[in-house]
Amino acid sequence: MQALPTYLEPDIFGFDKETVSATPLDEYMGMVIESYLDAFFNILQKDPLAYAINYHDGAMRIVDNMAAVKIYLFANRKTADGKKSRFSCKISRTGF
């Protein structure tokens, strides 16, 4: 949706119509992504309950990191997630 410069109002991303109409599509998408990242950064700076995670770390490391910053989970949740992570989400009961 946001990939089409005329689909959403440019001020949603902090752009003006003239800039959007004069910007090549690839550059426009870069500007959109940058506005998303700026919004994420601002939220992380202002909201003490916001926590940035890196999906590249994998699910179990994310859970460990969340626990380290005092985001409490049920004690058995981590064990259940660890068991679940060994199976395919598309074909249940099929292990890796």
Side-chain angles (χ1 to χ4, degrees):
M1 211 165 56
Q2 65 271 12
L4 302 172
T6 58
Y7 195 76
L8 297 175
E9 291 296 320
D11 60 338
I12 291 174
F13 301 109
F15 309 150
D16 58 57
K17 290 183 181 186
E18 295 77 25
T19 300
V20 170
S21 63
T23 304
L25 187 59
D26 288 342
E27 188 176 336
Y28 171 78
M29 275 310 304
M31 291 167 45
V32 169
I33 292 169
E34 186 176 6
S35 73
Y36 278 128
L37 294 175
D38 286 342
F40 294 149
F41 181 75
N42 289 333
I43 290 168
L44 289 168
Q45 294 298 311
K46 295 176 184 175
D47 186 347
L49 299 177
Y51 180 73
I53 60 173
N54 184 349
Y55 286 99
H56 184 28
D57 290 342
M60 294 313 295
R61 181 174 274 170
I62 290 170
V63 171
D64 289 340
N65 289 342
M66 289 168 50
V69 294
K70 307 286 190 254
I71 299 174
Y72 297 103
L73 302 171
F74 293 109
N76 64 350
R77 177 62 191 230
K78 185 175 173 185
T79 304
D81 287 347
K83 290 178 184 175
K84 185 178 177 182
S85 69
R86 293 189 295 257
F87 293 91
S88 170
C89 65
K90 294 182 181 179
I91 307 169
S92 61
R93 302 187 200 283
T94 302
F96 291 111

